[in-house]
Amino acid sequence: NAGVMQNPRHLVRRRGQEARLRCSPMKGHSHVYWYRQLPEEGLKFMVYLQKENIIDESGMPKERFSAEFPKEGPSILRIQQVVRGDSAAYFCASSPAGGRLEAFFGQGTRLTVV
Amino acid sequence: DQQVKQNSPSLSVQEGRISILNCDYTNSMFDYFLWYKKYPAEGPTFLISISSIKDKNEDGRFTVFLNKSAKHLSLHIVPSQPGDSAVYFCAARRTTDSWGKLQFGAGTQVVVTP
Protein backbone atom coordinates (compact mmCIF):
# COMPACT_ATOMS: atom_id res chain seq x y z
CA ASN A 1 0.00 0.00 0.00
CA ALA A 2 2.09 2.87 -1.32
CA GLY A 3 1.87 6.17 0.49
CA VAL A 4 1.75 9.62 -1.03
CA MET A 5 4.39 9.74 -3.74
CA GLN A 6 6.11 12.96 -4.70
CA ASN A 7 8.65 13.44 -7.44
CA PRO A 8 11.20 14.56 -7.96
CA ARG A 9 12.65 14.49 -4.44
CA HIS A 10 15.12 17.20 -5.35
CA LEU A 11 14.82 19.78 -8.10
CA VAL A 12 17.30 22.44 -9.08
CA ARG A 13 16.21 25.26 -11.34
CA ARG A 14 17.86 28.43 -12.55
CA ARG A 15 16.11 31.72 -11.98
CA GLY A 16 13.46 32.26 -14.63
CA GLN A 17 12.88 28.57 -15.38
CA GLU A 18 9.73 26.61 -14.64
CA ALA A 19 9.41 24.04 -11.86
CA ARG A 20 6.90 21.18 -11.98
CA LEU A 21 6.26 19.18 -8.84
CA ARG A 22 4.21 16.00 -8.95
CA CYS A 23 2.12 14.32 -6.32
CA SER A 24 0.35 10.96 -6.56
CA PRO A 25 -2.09 10.56 -3.66
CA MET A 26 -2.58 7.38 -1.71
CA LYS A 27 -4.78 4.80 -3.39
CA GLY A 28 -8.40 5.66 -2.84
CA HIS A 29 -7.68 9.27 -1.86
CA SER A 30 -9.31 11.96 -3.95
CA HIS A 31 -8.31 15.07 -1.98
CA VAL A 32 -4.88 16.65 -2.34
CA TYR A 33 -3.29 19.47 -0.36
CA TRP A 34 -0.05 21.30 -1.13
CA TYR A 35 2.10 22.90 1.55
CA ARG A 36 5.34 24.84 1.44
CA GLN A 37 7.98 24.90 4.13
CA LEU A 38 10.50 27.72 4.06
CA PRO A 39 13.75 27.31 6.04
CA GLU A 40 13.24 27.52 9.81
CA GLU A 41 9.48 27.78 9.43
CA GLY A 42 6.47 25.55 9.71
CA LEU A 43 4.45 24.27 6.81
CA LYS A 44 2.18 26.80 5.11
CA PHE A 45 -0.99 25.73 3.33
CA MET A 46 -1.07 26.59 -0.37
CA VAL A 47 -3.95 24.88 -2.14
CA TYR A 48 -6.60 22.18 -1.77
CA LEU A 49 -7.76 20.23 -4.81
CA GLN A 50 -10.17 17.48 -5.64
CA LYS A 51 -10.22 15.70 -8.98
CA GLU A 52 -10.48 18.38 -11.69
CA ASN A 53 -11.40 21.05 -9.16
CA ILE A 54 -9.56 23.66 -7.13
CA ILE A 55 -11.44 23.91 -3.85
CA ASP A 56 -9.35 26.39 -1.88
CA GLU A 57 -6.33 28.29 -3.22
CA SER A 58 -6.23 30.92 -0.50
CA GLY A 59 -2.57 30.14 0.27
CA MET A 60 -1.27 30.32 -3.28
CA PRO A 61 0.81 33.32 -4.31
CA LYS A 62 -1.17 35.40 -6.78
CA GLU A 63 1.37 35.15 -9.59
CA ARG A 64 3.54 32.42 -11.11
CA PHE A 65 2.01 29.55 -9.08
CA SER A 66 -0.68 27.19 -10.30
CA ALA A 67 -1.95 23.75 -9.39
CA GLU A 68 -4.06 21.08 -11.01
CA PHE A 69 -5.38 17.62 -10.22
CA PRO A 70 -6.58 16.08 -13.48
CA LYS A 71 -9.02 13.22 -13.81
CA GLU A 72 -6.12 10.93 -14.64
CA GLY A 73 -2.60 11.25 -13.34
CA PRO A 74 -0.90 13.05 -10.49
CA SER A 75 -1.52 16.48 -9.08
CA ILE A 76 0.92 19.06 -10.41
CA LEU A 77 2.18 22.20 -8.70
CA ARG A 78 3.70 24.51 -11.29
CA ILE A 79 5.91 27.47 -10.54
CA GLN A 80 6.74 29.69 -13.50
CA GLN A 81 9.76 31.99 -13.70
CA VAL A 82 11.18 30.78 -10.41
CA VAL A 83 13.03 33.16 -8.11
CA ARG A 84 15.44 32.49 -5.24
CA GLY A 85 12.65 32.99 -2.72
CA ASP A 86 10.81 29.96 -4.12
CA SER A 87 13.53 27.70 -2.71
CA ALA A 88 11.74 25.56 -0.17
CA ALA A 89 10.43 22.11 0.59
CA TYR A 90 7.04 21.46 -1.00
CA PHE A 91 4.86 18.80 0.59
CA CYS A 92 1.76 17.16 -0.72
CA ALA A 93 -0.85 15.48 1.48
CA SER A 94 -3.86 13.39 0.56
CA SER A 95 -7.02 12.28 2.29
CA PRO A 96 -10.05 10.23 1.30
CA ALA A 97 -13.35 11.73 0.25
CA GLY A 98 -15.39 12.69 3.28
CA GLY A 99 -12.31 13.38 5.38
CA ARG A 100 -12.39 12.04 8.93
CA LEU A 101 -8.89 10.68 8.56
CA GLU A 102 -5.79 12.73 9.04
CA ALA A 103 -4.10 13.74 5.83
CA PHE A 104 -1.05 11.69 4.93
CA PHE A 105 2.00 13.57 3.74
CA GLY A 106 4.47 12.69 1.05
CA GLN A 107 8.22 12.97 1.50
CA GLY A 108 8.35 16.33 -0.20
CA THR A 109 10.21 17.93 -3.07
CA ARG A 110 13.10 20.17 -2.18
CA LEU A 111 13.32 22.95 -4.74
CA THR A 112 16.53 24.91 -5.02
CA VAL A 113 16.68 27.95 -7.26
CA VAL A 114 20.18 28.98 -8.30
CA ASP B 1 0.40 36.47 11.10
CA GLN B 2 1.43 33.38 13.03
CA GLN B 3 -1.68 31.95 14.67
CA VAL B 4 -0.03 28.79 15.98
CA LYS B 5 3.15 29.31 17.96
CA GLN B 6 5.75 26.94 19.29
CA ASN B 7 8.04 29.14 21.30
CA SER B 8 10.69 26.55 22.06
CA PRO B 9 12.72 25.81 18.95
CA SER B 10 14.53 22.95 20.66
CA LEU B 11 14.29 20.56 23.57
CA SER B 12 16.86 18.13 24.93
CA VAL B 13 15.72 15.29 27.19
CA GLN B 14 17.27 12.19 28.62
CA GLU B 15 16.11 8.79 27.51
CA GLY B 16 13.40 7.51 29.83
CA ARG B 17 12.35 10.96 31.00
CA ILE B 18 9.26 12.93 30.00
CA SER B 19 9.31 15.29 27.01
CA ILE B 20 6.85 18.19 27.21
CA LEU B 21 6.24 20.23 24.08
CA ASN B 22 4.15 23.37 24.20
CA CYS B 23 2.00 25.15 21.67
CA ASP B 24 -0.08 28.33 21.86
CA TYR B 25 -2.70 29.58 19.46
CA THR B 26 -4.50 32.85 18.96
CA ASN B 27 -7.52 32.02 16.81
CA SER B 28 -10.59 31.03 18.82
CA MET B 29 -12.07 29.49 15.66
CA PHE B 30 -9.67 26.56 15.89
CA ASP B 31 -11.56 23.48 17.02
CA TYR B 32 -9.21 20.63 16.21
CA PHE B 33 -5.54 20.27 17.05
CA LEU B 34 -2.90 17.85 15.85
CA TRP B 35 0.70 16.96 16.46
CA TYR B 36 2.98 15.78 13.69
CA LYS B 37 6.46 14.33 13.89
CA LYS B 38 9.02 14.90 11.16
CA TYR B 39 12.36 13.26 10.50
CA PRO B 40 14.90 14.96 8.19
CA ALA B 41 14.16 14.50 4.48
CA GLU B 42 10.77 12.97 5.21
CA GLY B 43 7.22 14.27 5.30
CA PRO B 44 5.36 14.94 8.54
CA THR B 45 3.74 11.92 10.16
CA PHE B 46 0.53 12.27 12.15
CA LEU B 47 0.97 11.47 15.86
CA ILE B 48 -2.09 12.39 17.85
CA SER B 49 -4.99 14.83 17.80
CA ILE B 50 -7.57 16.37 20.07
CA SER B 51 -10.93 17.97 19.53
CA SER B 52 -11.81 21.20 21.30
CA ILE B 53 -14.57 19.41 23.22
CA LYS B 54 -11.95 17.38 25.08
CA ASP B 55 -9.11 18.38 27.34
CA LYS B 56 -6.99 15.26 27.08
CA ASN B 57 -6.28 12.50 24.61
CA GLU B 58 -3.89 9.64 25.16
CA ASP B 59 -2.32 7.16 22.76
CA GLY B 60 0.37 4.93 24.17
CA ARG B 61 3.35 7.04 25.21
CA PHE B 62 1.79 10.21 23.78
CA THR B 63 -0.72 12.42 25.57
CA VAL B 64 -2.05 15.74 24.37
CA PHE B 65 -3.59 18.23 26.77
CA LEU B 66 -5.75 21.15 25.70
CA ASN B 67 -6.48 24.24 27.78
CA LYS B 68 -9.02 26.21 25.77
CA SER B 69 -9.24 29.16 28.12
CA ALA B 70 -5.49 29.66 27.86
CA LYS B 71 -5.40 28.74 24.17
CA HIS B 72 -2.63 26.34 24.97
CA LEU B 73 -1.89 22.73 24.24
CA SER B 74 0.95 20.44 25.12
CA LEU B 75 2.28 17.09 24.05
CA HIS B 76 3.75 14.75 26.64
CA ILE B 77 5.95 11.86 25.60
CA VAL B 78 6.75 9.39 28.33
CA PRO B 79 9.08 7.66 28.47
CA SER B 80 11.17 9.38 25.82
CA GLN B 81 13.11 7.10 23.50
CA PRO B 82 16.02 7.79 21.10
CA GLY B 83 13.70 7.22 18.14
CA ASP B 84 11.62 10.18 19.32
CA SER B 85 14.39 12.55 18.24
CA ALA B 86 12.69 14.57 15.51
CA VAL B 87 10.96 17.87 14.84
CA TYR B 88 7.46 18.07 16.29
CA PHE B 89 4.86 20.35 14.75
CA CYS B 90 1.70 21.54 16.37
CA ALA B 91 -1.15 22.18 13.92
CA ALA B 92 -4.68 23.51 14.15
CA ARG B 93 -7.79 23.50 12.01
CA ARG B 94 -10.66 25.96 11.98
CA THR B 95 -14.24 24.85 12.22
CA THR B 96 -15.00 26.11 8.73
CA ASP B 97 -11.93 24.73 6.97
CA SER B 98 -11.52 21.53 5.02
CA TRP B 99 -10.08 18.50 6.73
CA GLY B 100 -6.56 18.87 5.42
CA LYS B 101 -6.19 22.64 5.67
CA LEU B 102 -4.01 23.11 8.71
CA GLN B 103 -2.07 25.93 10.28
CA PHE B 104 1.29 24.79 11.59
CA GLY B 105 3.64 26.08 14.22
CA ALA B 106 7.33 26.48 13.44
CA GLY B 107 8.24 23.22 15.16
CA THR B 108 10.28 22.06 18.12
CA GLN B 109 13.43 19.99 17.58
CA VAL B 110 13.55 17.23 20.19
CA VAL B 111 16.80 15.46 20.94
CA VAL B 112 16.67 12.43 23.22
CA THR B 113 20.04 11.67 24.74
CA PRO B 114 21.13 8.29 26.15
Side-chain angles (χ1 to χ4, degrees):
Chain A
N1 182 18
V4 179
M5 303 300 291
Q6 289 189 248
N7 68 82
R9 292 292 308 278
H10 300 275
L11 182 61
V12 179
R13 284 286 178 266
R14 294 186 184 279
R15 280 178 293 173
Q17 291 184 320
E18 179 179 284
R20 283 194 175 206
L21 289 64
R22 293 174 182 78
C23 169
S24 296
M26 283 184 71
K27 188 175 182 181
H29 286 191
S30 57
H31 297 211
V32 165
Y33 304 82
W34 285 93
Y35 282 80
R36 175 165 67 173
Q37 184 184 20
L38 295 170
E40 308 301 323
E41 295 187 15
L43 283 75
K44 296 280 197 296
F45 168 80
M46 299 181 76
V47 62
Y48 163 36
L49 310 105
Q50 294 177 17
K51 286 281 187 182
E52 300 184 280
N53 283 304
I54 297 175
I55 307 301
D56 181 353
E57 55 183 348
S58 57
M60 287 279 269
K62 294 286 186 283
E63 297 176 348
R64 302 187 297 106
F65 285 72
S66 62
E68 62 178 9
F69 189 14
K71 188 176 179 181
E72 302 290 338
S75 175
I76 307 283
L77 178 68
R78 183 184 292 113
I79 311 171
Q80 296 178 302
Q81 298 175 321
V82 296
V83 301
R84 288 251 170 90
D86 297 332
S87 296
Y90 292 82
F91 292 97
C92 166
S94 73
S95 68
R100 312 320 297 181
L101 281 178
E102 306 317 325
F104 294 87
F105 282 84
Q107 292 182 298
T109 294
R110 181 160 297 280
L111 172 66
T112 301
V113 179
V114 297
Chain B
D1 150 43
Q2 190 72 12
Q3 298 184 37
V4 177
K5 298 177 184 178
Q6 294 177 256
N7 292 319
S8 297
S10 63
L11 172 70
S12 183
V13 63
Q14 266 191 321
E15 183 178 359
R17 302 275 192 158
I18 184 171
S19 295
I20 300 177
L21 291 78
N22 294 303
C23 178
D24 297 294
Y25 62 96
T26 58
N27 192 332
S28 57
M29 293 295 291
F30 290 142
D31 69 340
Y32 197 76
F33 304 89
L34 309 91
W35 284 93
Y36 282 84
K37 175 180 179 179
K38 185 180 179 304
Y39 291 118
E42 293 188 12
T45 303
F46 170 73
L47 261 182
I48 192 169
S49 61
I50 188 167
S51 165
S52 60
I53 62 173
K54 295 186 175 182
D55 55 17
K56 177 182 175 182
N57 188 26
E58 191 172 352
D59 184 1
R61 296 186 297 115
F62 302 92
T63 303
V64 56
F65 296 92
L66 175 63
N67 183 333
K68 279 185 66 177
S69 60
K71 292 191 174 68
H72 176 83
L73 64 155
S74 61
L75 174 68
H76 292 207
I77 308 172
V78 55
S80 300
Q81 299 174 353
D84 296 331
S85 296
V87 177
Y88 289 78
F89 291 100
C90 170
R93 175 188 298 134
R94 292 186 309 182
T95 312
T96 52
D97 281 336
S98 57
W99 197 250
K101 183 177 179 180
L102 305 172
Q103 298 215 28
F104 282 82
T108 296
Q109 171 77 60
V110 172
V111 175
V112 180
T113 57

